[in-house]
Amino acid sequence: MKIRMLPQAQRYLRWAKRSLFILGFSLMTFSANELSALAQTRQPTNAELSKLREELQQEIRRTKNNNVGAGYIIDRRTQVEKNTRESFIRAWSKVEQRLAPFMGVWYGYEDIRHIYPSKIKGHVCIVSTGEGYGRFDIGVFSNGVIITNNGQVLFKEGNFLGSGSLRNGKFISSNGEIPLNNPRPLESLNKLLNYIIEQPDKSQISQQFKAAGCTSSLPNSSANTQPQSKNVSTINNQELPPALITAIRQDFLQYREDFGSYKDSRDHRVFFVDLNNDNVKEAILYPAGGRICSNRSCGIYIYTKVGKNYKRISAQETDRYSGVAGSRNEPSMGILNTSNQGWRDIATRFFDYETRTEKWSRSRYGNNGYTDSPLVVVPTPGTILEYSSGIPTDFNKFIAP
């Protein structure tokens, strides 16, 4: 039985195939199947869209009025993150005026939607991640919403992203437990892959991402990296203290088989802060990913200067990893006013499964350095070191043997 497409869909498919040809045969082969699905996917009617929007608004209200859910949709973005994404949107609006407002990383509960621009006019790349899995889709703009090749519709309501899926011929809401909200800046492909644990998904998405012309760059930019805000201090690895580089190398290379994935990222951060009031700043390494990270948290490494060298003071010899862990989705660290043995207490975010919210837990200095056990929950710290303000660190420069 042959499927008869509408004339508009046929024209769109012909145009899409012509556009794909200039990107090479492999790209055309990959995307033609996706575009064929797009062309044959039924679009939601105005009545269905109105219902989907109304249901999202109801869900937002319910979430705000729920003590547990309200914690998920609090806007925790830093001003740097907001400014970075807004600049990215403005730049892409000159190329993709209707699609640009959707671009960014949208967080829900165990569900993240990464919406990237594509070098193919009129397309966006959508990567869905959560609990270690990943899925890749292509989307196009139609009637104020994004239609994807798997029959899903995405639409904006302020700082919320709603979704609906085609089931048994009807579009129904598929927003998950918590509405996707407060989009953050897009990340490089390497950082994106850190969200995915399943190796087949990781490999497939990497290939699909490249084949579909997805990018995290500004239009006409060849570098597949996000521009740095003027408010973010940058420094290359050669300017980091050589003794600190040596200490980090020793920590990671002795477990090279386990930590090999670390050196593929350029998004690790180093903070410098005086934790023991001796006017010499300690170094705090907050990794962006790697095998030591779970889908929710990453180990944090703290070093202090001893003479001309640096020594790790986060669970030192008693733990091959680190005694301090912080949120992977909300990577930041707090400096508390309390102290122990002359060392300032620190706080990191963690996910509380009982309340299903992000909370702050205290880490104290003890006989084996800093450790976050036993768990002590503390209020939001007055001083917070946001991840975006840390020094970007490329492990390729000094971890690789």
Side-chain angles (χ1 to χ4, degrees):
M1 177 179 177
K2 293 184 178 180
I3 298 176
R4 181 178 178 83
M5 292 189 291
L6 296 175
Q8 296 93 327
Q10 292 174 328
R11 287 196 298 271
Y12 174 78
L13 187 56
R14 287 196 297 269
W15 168 85
K17 287 181 178 179
R18 287 197 300 269
S19 299
L20 288 169
F21 182 79
I22 65 174
L23 294 176
F25 179 75
S26 62
L27 175 57
M28 181 180 68
T29 302
F30 164 75
S31 294
N33 294 332
E34 309 298 332
L35 292 170
S36 179
L38 276 167
Q40 297 179 45
T41 297
R42 181 176 78 78
Q43 298 190 13
T45 64
N46 289 335
E48 286 174 323
L49 283 177
S50 296
K51 184 179 180 182
L52 289 174
R53 290 185 184 278
E54 181 180 347
E55 290 173 343
L56 175 62
Q57 292 166 0
Q58 291 174 353
E59 186 172 344
I60 293 171
R61 288 193 293 268
R62 285 196 300 268
T63 304
K64 288 181 177 179
N65 293 328
N66 182 286
N67 290 334
V68 175
Y72 278 96
I73 58 176
I74 294 175
D75 191 351
R76 294 192 177 97
R77 295 175 298 175
T78 66
Q79 194 58 50
V80 170
E81 288 176 321
K82 293 178 182 178
N83 293 343
T84 300
R85 180 177 177 271
E86 288 170 2
S87 297
F88 189 83
I89 299 305
R90 282 196 300 271
W92 273 100
S93 292
K94 298 175 183 178
V95 181
E96 298 285 5
Q97 182 178 3
R98 298 179 299 180
L99 286 170
F102 289 88
M103 297 173 186
V105 184
W106 302 78
Y107 286 87
Y109 170 66
E110 297 182 350
D111 182 21
I112 307 174
R113 210 65 52 88
H114 315 251
I115 303 181
Y116 287 84
S118 169
K119 296 176 183 178
I120 305 175
K121 181 71 175 175
H123 289 188
V124 287
C125 304
I126 305 162
V127 182
S128 303
T129 62
E131 292 299 312
Y133 80 90
R135 189 189 72 233
F136 182 91
D137 296 301
I138 292 175
V140 297
F141 188 88
S142 176
N143 196 23
V145 301
I146 290 178
I147 305 294
T148 74
N149 58 282
N150 73 343
Q152 192 172 54
V153 56
L154 301 175
F155 55 94
K156 283 179 78 278
E157 284 289 323
N159 279 339
F160 292 89
L161 183 72
S163 65
S165 299
L166 188 61
R167 297 287 184 270
N168 299 322
K170 295 181 180 180
F171 278 93
I172 61 174
S173 294
S174 55
N175 293 314
E177 295 185 43
I178 299 294
L180 297 164
N181 63 89
N182 298 316
R184 288 172 167 79
L186 287 166
E187 301 157 317
S188 66
L189 174 59
N190 283 340
K191 181 66 179 293
L192 166 66
L193 295 178
N194 285 332
Y195 289 87
I196 305 169
I197 297 175
E198 298 296 333
Q199 191 58 44
D201 290 358
K202 186 185 293 246
S203 177
Q204 184 177 27
I205 287 176
S206 177
Q207 295 173 6
Q208 292 172 324
F209 190 97
K210 296 173 183 177
C214 312
T215 179
S216 60
S217 303
L218 293 174
N220 301 321
S221 173
S222 59
N224 191 29
T225 56
Q226 192 71 319
Q228 289 288 342
S229 165
K230 292 185 294 184
N231 297 326
V232 178
S233 60
T234 59
I235 185 170
N236 59 41
N237 291 316
Q238 285 72 28
E239 294 177 87
L240 290 175
L244 174 60
I245 294 176
T246 298
I248 295 174
R249 179 187 291 117
Q250 289 175 346
D251 269 342
F252 282 70
L253 281 185
Q254 62 180 316
Y255 308 117
R256 186 167 58 205
E257 182 178 353
D258 293 336
F259 292 148
S261 55
Y262 268 88
K263 66 184 181 64
D264 295 329
S265 176
R266 296 174 174 82
D267 298 308
H268 309 297
R269 292 293 191 272
V270 173
F271 302 89
F272 287 94
V273 59
D274 186 2
L275 294 174
N276 61 348
N277 298 316
D278 64 352
N279 296 319
V280 178
K281 293 182 177 181
E282 276 64 47
I284 303 173
L285 171 63
Y286 203 132
R291 295 186 183 183
I292 197 173
C293 293
S294 68
N295 62 313
R296 291 201 180 277
S297 64
C298 289
I300 297 171
Y301 291 76
I302 306 173
Y303 298 86
T304 191
K305 195 169 185 181
V306 180
K308 295 182 180 181
N309 300 317
Y310 277 84
K311 176 184 178 182
R312 177 155 65 94
I313 53 171
S314 48
Q316 304 179 81
E317 307 300 331
T318 62
D319 194 328
R320 67 176 295 187
Y321 299 122
S322 175
V324 182
S327 172
R328 183 170 180 170
N329 293 333
E330 294 282 354
S332 56
M333 177 175 290
I335 307 299
L336 304 178
N337 292 325
T338 56
S339 62
N340 189 52
Q341 299 183 22
W343 292 80
R344 297 277 295 274
D345 295 341
I346 61 177
T348 58
R349 286 194 175 105
F350 76 100
F351 182 78
D352 183 357
Y353 280 91
E354 183 175 348
T355 62
R356 295 187 177 277
T357 59
E358 291 274 354
K359 293 183 178 179
W360 290 91
S361 66
R362 185 188 70 185
S363 294
R364 306 201 85 179
Y365 186 89
N367 293 334
N368 293 314
Y370 277 96
T371 176
D372 56 11
S373 180
L375 180 67
V376 176
V377 180
V378 296
T380 302
T383 301
I384 298 178
L385 306 176
E386 297 290 355
Y387 185 75
S388 56
S389 66
I391 298 173
T393 304
D394 182 1
F395 273 26
N396 279 310
K397 301 292 185 181
F398 57 85
I399 292 298

